Amino acid sequence: MGTLRITLVPLVDGKPLILENRLYHIQNGDSLYVDMLRFYLSTLRLKGKNGVVFSEKDSYHLIDAGEDGNCLIALENIPIGVYDTFFFNVGTDSLTNVSGAMGGDLDPTRGMYWAWNTGYVNVKIEGRSNACNTLHHAFTFHLGGYMPPHQTVRKVELPLQNLRIGENATTDLRIAADLGRFFSRLQLAQTNSVMLPSKQAAQLADYFSGIFSPE
Amino acid sequence: MLRSKITFIVALCGLFLALLSFTDVKDGIAFVVPEGWPAPVYDFSKNPVTDAGFQLGRQLFYDPLLSRDTTVSCASCHLQATGFAHVDHALSHGIGGRVGTRNAPAILNMAWSKTFMWDGGVNHLDMQPLSPITSAAEMDETMENVVRKLNASDKYRRLFRAAFGDSLATGQKTLLALSQFVLMLNSYNSRYDKYIRKAPGGEFSAQELNGLAIFRAHCAACHTEPLFTDGGFGNNGLPVDTALSGLRAPQYHPKPRRFAQIQSADAAQHPVHLPVHARRAFQKTVASGATLYPGRSAKHNA
């Protein structure tokens, strides 16, 4: 059995994400500051060459790009071998959303739960851009919703290059999460406040699920 | 004509009075599914009710520590003496006397409810307390801070250890304990229940029998026995009150559970709710994502 240490690396167009006081120029012409990036990853799985599948139990992780946040996940007790695919969900599945009070990263004190029209906020992206005609030029994306037709949980599948898990060893895996790929698909002048389960939230969840790649 | 109307009303009142009775909870707490009742919706396997959990939930329910300035507890709006409802008020008021946009319903037989609040906006009993705790007009607090205050209290650390084997308060454990208390607020030993079970003390007068017959003919389609609700939503027929601008869809209300108590506002409205035009319409609105968060602080819900 071995351990896999996964580091999420938040980026904007390949540059490290620094919250609050770094201005980023996106390819689509928008310039922006990012103040918050938080999201859930759940149901983590690894598939091996020989068909071995490792699924993490109670697999929920709140990733937070903040200074005191958390971008690390340790997967433990993985059977030794070579793995070629990493699967995970961005967000929480519908069962999690209707199962009452949960603990750990799903605890409602983590600030990722809607008190009204209850359910988890799967992704929070907040920041500022002069393109936004809003109070303090803020943009606010709180993506959530587990009921059809506007579910926001997304499956992601990343190919790995022969990731080797050794006996009693820790292997590192870095996953880039490049917000540039999210912002380049929208215009902040038009899309800057999405805070309810909706068609738009589902679309933004599609965009967001495309930001991950092995580094 | 007038006489028959009065008889009708008196008969119904008799029936309601027969429904007024609460189970008292003593030592050795156990949730009971009354004979002939449907299985509860609440999944007790995930949160079994224990004496210590119930006691912790009870302390929390009556403790104004849950509010920002320690002035409002759950019981400020849900008064035990009136079936855990807020009588004498058309709209419940919270912190600093701020008036909300809705009235607190009775809390009864919650284990059988699928959704909560007048609009069904809460999908699980455990999550219900988040709304009053974070509402600016009710308790105006954050869950993070509630948990911080609980962890700073020796009394609560003791109670959490007794209930969960670990003195650390978390959001999850706080909510589970509140559920354990709320789940035990049940009504199934009223004279009506005894009548149905043919148990001693369940004798109905001719007047009450008459009331039951009228009720079954005219009311039970929506107020389905034994819970006196089918869990659905109905249009009470009232026009939208524009004074309550924050309130999106006041005409859609879930059918109340047992008539443990009749709220003044609802009683006054009652005659007009009979034509139901929009059963489940609200749920459709919720599903389509078109609902807003009526009357809540944008800060916490956004």
Side-chain angles (χ1 to χ4, degrees):
Chain A
M1 302 281 190
T3 298
L4 178 65
R5 189 165 55 197
I6 303 167
T7 309
L8 273 291
V9 186
L11 304 169
V12 183
D13 281 343
K15 292 188 266 314
L17 172 67
I18 294 166
L19 294 185
E20 288 177 24
N21 46 27
R22 165 110 16 132
L23 184 66
Y24 296 96
H25 303 283
I26 307 295
Q27 279 158 4
N28 68 358
D30 282 339
S31 297
L32 55 92
Y33 294 94
V34 179
D35 296 334
M36 180 193 283
L37 172 63
R38 307 182 86 200
F39 54 92
Y40 279 111
L41 296 186
S42 65
T43 339
L44 274 53
R45 279 188 306 136
L46 289 169
K47 189 170 69 60
K49 283 225 146 87
N50 46 5
V52 179
V53 175
F54 168 81
S55 308
E56 192 194 20
K57 287 212 181 63
D58 293 324
S59 183
Y60 300 99
H61 303 274
L62 179 57
I63 304 299
D64 184 342
E67 227 171 277
D68 313 317
N70 176 38
C71 289
L72 265 183
I73 299 173
L75 296 184
E76 279 158 3
N77 297 323
I78 306 173
I80 56 171
V82 179
Y83 293 86
D84 60 9
T85 322
F86 179 33
F87 301 91
F88 56 87
N89 285 348
V90 182
T92 53
D93 64 13
S94 62
L95 186 65
T96 310
N97 278 271
V98 297
S99 296
M102 315 276 265
D105 276 359
L106 294 170
D107 194 287
T109 54
R110 307 304 296 268
M112 296 292 278
Y113 198 86
W114 276 313
W116 202 297
N117 212 343
T118 41
Y120 282 94
V121 183
N122 287 328
V123 179
K124 278 191 181 180
I125 307 167
E126 296 180 9
R128 289 153 290 135
S129 166
N130 281 337
C132 303
N133 185 19
T134 56
L135 187 67
H136 306 311
H137 302 291
F139 57 83
T140 314
F141 301 117
H142 293 179
L143 311 180
Y146 63 92
M147 278 194 276
H150 302 312
Q151 297 100 321
T152 50
V153 62
R154 292 292 175 272
K155 282 195 168 68
V156 175
E157 178 179 338
L158 298 180
L160 302 175
Q161 266 179 5
N162 294 338
L163 183 90
R164 189 174 299 279
I165 302 290
E167 188 65 32
N168 291 330
T170 298
T171 309
D172 269 299
L173 173 65
R174 290 168 67 83
I175 305 282
D178 195 331
L179 277 179
R181 297 198 205 165
F182 173 81
F183 286 114
S184 64
R185 298 188 68 178
L186 41 107
Q187 287 290 329
L188 287 170
Q190 276 94 54
T191 308
N192 46 47
S193 303
V194 177
M195 290 177 269
L196 284 173
S198 59
K199 195 171 161 189
Q200 217 177 11
Q203 188 180 42
L204 293 183
D206 286 342
Y207 298 166
F208 189 79
S209 66
I211 72 169
F212 301 95
S213 56
E215 239 195 357
Chain B
M1 177 65 201
L2 183 64
R3 158 98 63 75
S4 75
K5 226 182 195 165
I6 290 172
T7 319
F8 178 89
I9 291 168
V10 169
L12 282 173
C13 288
L15 175 66
F16 293 153
L17 289 176
L19 281 162
L20 255 172
S21 145
F22 297 94
T23 341
D24 39 342
V25 202
K26 298 201 184 72
D27 295 344
I29 302 274
F31 180 84
V32 185
V33 179
E35 195 187 309
W37 280 37
V41 173
Y42 193 87
D43 183 354
F44 286 89
S45 71
K46 291 210 185 105
N47 186 25
V49 179
T50 61
D51 283 19
F54 170 88
Q55 290 303 345
L56 169 58
R58 183 163 178 253
Q59 291 288 326
L60 292 166
F61 191 88
Y62 289 98
D63 198 336
L65 173 144
L66 268 53
S67 63
R68 177 175 49 74
D69 62 358
T70 335
T71 56
V72 180
S73 74
C74 306
S76 305
C77 297
H78 298 286
L79 287 83
Q80 176 164 359
T82 52
F84 296 94
H86 205 180
V87 290
D88 292 342
H89 294 277
L91 301 171
S92 291
H93 54 88
I95 207 159
R98 288 180 210 157
V99 178
T101 50
R102 299 185 182 184
N103 185 253
I107 305 182
L108 279 178
N109 301 337
M110 286 290 121
W112 284 270
S113 288
K114 282 194 206 69
T115 55
F116 302 85
M117 307 258 230
W118 289 110
D119 57 9
V122 171
N123 70 16
H124 196 288
L125 180 64
D126 293 351
M127 300 334 238
Q128 172 67 41
L130 295 177
S131 280
I133 289 171
T134 60
S135 156
E138 297 186 341
M139 301 170 112
D140 198 24
E141 186 48 291
T142 63
M143 230 15 230
E144 293 88 315
N145 212 36
V146 166
V147 167
R148 211 170 294 135
K149 288 190 274 186
L150 293 173
N151 277 317
S153 148
D154 289 342
K155 179 182 94 178
Y156 277 111
R157 294 190 72 98
R158 263 200 314 280
L159 289 168
F160 273 91
R161 170 156 328 118
F164 297 106
D166 175 356
S167 65
L168 185 75
T170 65
Q172 179 190 33
K173 287 190 259 176
T174 304
L175 295 177
L176 292 178
L178 277 165
S179 282
Q180 290 196 31
F181 175 68
V182 166
L183 284 163
M184 297 306 293
L185 309 177
N186 294 317
S187 165
Y188 51 75
N189 268 329
S190 67
R191 199 143 50 79
Y192 160 82
D193 296 287
K194 291 177 186 153
Y195 168 81
I196 295 291
R197 293 199 297 263
K198 300 191 171 60
E203 292 76 28
F204 268 5
S205 67
Q207 188 73 282
E208 287 161 347
L209 281 172
N210 197 9
L212 183 58
I214 296 170
F215 187 86
R216 284 182 170 157
H218 298 284
C219 321
C222 301
H223 298 292
T224 317
E225 292 170 83
L227 285 150
F228 291 92
T229 177
D230 63 2
F233 293 78
N235 187 338
N236 64 9
L238 291 176
V240 174
D241 188 337
T242 49
L244 297 171
S245 54
L247 194 60
R248 284 292 137 173
Q251 70 271 48
Y252 303 121
H253 287 168
K255 287 176 209 121
R257 287 85 196 173
R258 311 209 110 195
F259 304 109
Q261 77 94 31
I262 301 164
Q263 298 157 28
S264 47
D266 289 333
Q269 298 169 2
H270 184 66
V272 278
H273 83 214
L274 284 167
V276 170
H277 308 297
R279 285 170 61 79
R280 303 227 165 238
F282 192 83
Q283 282 188 321
K284 278 199 202 113
T285 332
V286 171
S288 72
T291 9
L292 293 173
Y293 302 113
R296 299 289 155 151
S297 94
K299 187 174 75 204
H300 296 301
N301 288 302

